[in-house]
Amino acid sequence: MSAVQGKHYLLAACLLSLSACSTTDNANISVPIPIIAPPMQLQQQLVESEQQIFQLDHSLKQQLSAYVQTRKSADEIAYSVLSFLLTNGDNSLSYQSTSTQTASQSYQNLNANCLSLTILAYSLAEHLGLKARFQKVYVPEYWALNQGFNLLTGHINLAIENKTKLKDSSLFYQRNQRLIIDFDPNSRQARFATSSLSKKRVTAMFYNNKGGEALVNKQFDLAYSYFKAAINTDSSFSASWGNLGVLFKQLGDLKQAEEMYRYAIALNADNNTAQGNLALLYKLTDRVAEGDKLLAELDRKRQTNPYYHISLGNSDYVSGDYTNAISHYKKANAMSPTLHESHFGLARSYFELNNITKAEFHLRKARKKADFVHEIQRYDNKLIALKSLTAKANHY
């Protein structure tokens, strides 16, 4: 349990709400909304408006209109939305863990995170008069380590009403007469369950992501401003309350942090991240038995999730316990052999133990199983660096 107990948990980086398929954030709970009292040192910062988040600039609208003017049917226009992006971007257009961006910013960069790209696709579809809706995708919990924070990410996609069978495309699939635009290949292949999301909720997610990014970078004024904007936009969004609790904990306001965590859990009983943070807070405030009990419950709940073991392996790797990290990565690989992340974890752990042969073996496995062009290139670069290092060592 040490790898769990020693880390902060923060929801950030793509979609921020966590819940089981049968549970959603509850806007009608009996617990009163907490009164937020920000520490004196925090100052409110200006954040993007909803209009700015979804707005397309004039030149982009002109390009899009010209590109689809020969398309007549809804399905042809829908297909053109992604075709337009690929034509004006590159073939690696897909989810990447970059910062959250507005629709216009995402178009300028094109390789953005799933929330940003889905907002862009929604705005393009809306401009063309298509009926589109956001969907939450119920993917397993997935963590990424960033500057001492375990960032828990989720996923959303876009559904466009479509009555006609569409030609094959790696970025689309058909479900119940709807065209699904999804930027994550794993999600497209697995066909996870989904539920509808309002534009208001997605706006809150945008603010929540931005707040998480600011918090990781210790920009506390900006983090507070974004989390507050998320709550003002959608007060029933559990993730924002939980992240606000993380911010207050960072600032030493443990009482208010606990209040935020508890309200996040009241909104969504399946917000595991808020529960984990509450457990850590219990342990910091002389309620060790309560904290250990809650962490043990979460650990049991997550044992069948390979990404959980990758997260534990990452935590052990950072702390220098490479042998234990290898054990977690192997367990993840046994559960889901198609994941490249477990092989990468094994590769770098074996490298730290000076087992270059196994490090290269797992790095090649990671490359083979990678989903995106940028991931394959990253592994290619690491293989080149590893060979160079080995050649130098043999020379000396």
Side-chain angles (χ1 to χ4, degrees):
M1 291 291 293
S2 60
V4 181
Q5 296 169 7
K7 304 304 297 179
H8 295 295
Y9 285 84
L10 170 68
L11 283 168
C14 186
L15 177 115
L16 301 120
S17 174
L18 272 185
S19 60
C21 294
S22 60
T23 307
T24 56
D25 292 354
N26 181 6
N28 300 309
I29 62 171
S30 58
V31 180
I33 297 178
I35 298 174
I36 301 171
M40 293 291 292
Q41 69 266 33
L42 291 183
Q43 295 183 352
Q44 191 79 28
Q45 303 288 309
L46 187 65
V47 303
E48 298 90 338
S49 65
E50 181 180 293
Q51 181 183 3
Q52 290 172 322
I53 293 170
F54 290 90
Q55 188 172 32
L56 302 175
D57 62 48
H58 183 65
S59 62
L60 172 53
K61 289 179 182 178
Q62 285 185 319
Q63 291 178 59
L64 180 62
S65 297
Y67 188 82
V68 302
Q69 64 181 351
T70 60
R71 278 71 172 179
K72 303 298 182 184
S73 65
D75 65 294
E76 287 180 313
I77 294 174
Y79 181 80
S80 298
V81 170
L82 262 293
S83 178
F84 172 75
L85 291 179
L86 290 170
T87 300
N88 290 276
D90 61 60
N91 290 327
S92 66
L93 173 66
S94 50
Y95 170 76
Q96 293 191 38
S97 298
T98 54
S99 61
T100 303
Q101 302 162 10
T102 66
S104 291
Q105 290 169 340
S106 295
Y107 178 71
Q108 296 300 320
N109 299 305
L110 281 181
N111 288 322
N113 65 32
C114 68
L115 177 63
S116 305
L117 288 171
T118 307
I119 286 174
L120 172 58
Y122 175 89
S123 295
L124 293 174
E126 188 177 51
H127 174 68
L128 295 172
L130 298 175
K131 186 177 180 182
R133 74 177 189 190
F134 293 105
Q135 295 188 140
K136 173 181 175 178
V137 184
Y138 291 90
V139 297
E141 291 179 299
Y142 176 82
W143 294 264
L145 207 61
N146 188 346
Q147 300 184 47
F149 288 92
N150 264 318
L151 306 182
L152 180 59
T153 72
H155 188 55
I156 69 172
N157 63 27
L158 193 70
I160 296 178
E161 295 297 329
N162 178 61
K163 304 298 183 184
T164 310
K165 184 175 177 60
L166 194 68
K167 68 181 77 172
D168 290 337
S169 170
S170 62
L171 290 172
F172 295 95
Y173 63 88
Q174 199 81 22
R175 175 183 279 174
N176 299 330
Q177 299 300 312
R178 293 189 182 91
L179 176 70
I180 309 299
I181 298 177
D182 196 308
F183 294 97
D184 186 343
N186 293 320
S187 176
R188 294 195 298 272
Q189 294 164 14
R191 301 293 197 273
F192 293 112
T194 61
S195 61
S196 295
L197 288 171
S198 67
K199 188 175 181 181
K200 181 177 74 169
R201 173 58 57 90
V202 172
T203 302
M205 289 176 176
F206 176 92
Y207 291 137
N208 195 35
N209 273 15
K210 297 287 282 188
E213 292 162 11
L215 181 53
V216 167
N217 293 319
K218 300 188 184 303
Q219 298 171 297
F220 298 133
D221 291 339
L222 192 58
Y224 173 76
S225 301
Y226 274 120
F227 292 146
K228 194 70 164 56
I231 288 167
N232 289 341
T233 301
D234 187 350
S235 62
S236 65
F237 185 36
S238 173
S240 298
W241 292 97
N243 280 352
L244 192 57
V246 175
L247 172 60
F248 285 135
K249 179 180 177 295
Q250 291 288 299
L251 296 174
D253 190 344
L254 301 187
K255 181 179 179 181
Q256 195 163 202
E258 181 171 342
E259 190 177 5
M260 300 299 111
Y261 294 151
R262 288 188 178 280
Y263 191 67
I265 296 166
L267 284 170
N268 181 0
D270 291 311
N271 188 335
N272 294 339
T273 299
Q275 292 186 55
N277 281 329
L278 181 61
L280 295 174
L281 193 61
Y282 282 156
K283 293 168 71 68
L284 282 174
T285 52
D286 299 323
R287 290 171 284 178
V288 177
E290 292 178 70
D292 284 341
K293 180 182 177 182
L294 186 49
L295 285 173
E297 290 173 357
L298 289 172
D299 183 68
R300 283 193 297 272
K301 187 188 298 186
R302 290 165 165 164
Q303 278 299 319
T304 58
N305 181 358
Y307 293 109
Y308 176 58
H309 294 284
I310 291 172
S311 174
L312 295 180
N314 291 342
S315 295
D316 283 334
Y317 176 85
V318 169
S319 64
D321 189 351
Y322 305 121
T323 301
N324 208 36
I326 287 171
S327 177
H328 284 300
Y329 293 135
K330 284 184 174 180
K331 188 174 291 187
N333 185 59
M335 289 179 179
S336 186
T338 62
L339 300 179
H340 67 92
E341 293 93 339
S342 55
H343 283 292
F344 176 60
L346 286 166
R348 63 178 185 169
S349 297
Y350 279 123
F351 178 80
E352 294 294 341
L353 294 175
N354 207 31
N355 191 331
I356 305 302
T357 301
K358 285 190 174 181
E360 183 177 353
F361 172 81
H362 285 288
L363 203 51
R364 291 189 181 281
K365 285 282 190 179
R367 184 199 182 281
K368 185 177 180 180
K369 297 176 181 181
D371 296 310
F372 302 127
V373 172
H374 71 275
E375 291 170 341
I376 293 172
Q377 291 173 342
R378 180 171 65 120
Y379 291 136
D380 280 341
N381 292 337
K382 290 184 181 297
L383 281 165
I384 292 170
L386 186 62
K387 285 184 177 180
S388 176
L389 188 64
T390 305
K392 287 181 181 179
N394 291 336
H395 176 74
Y396 289 122

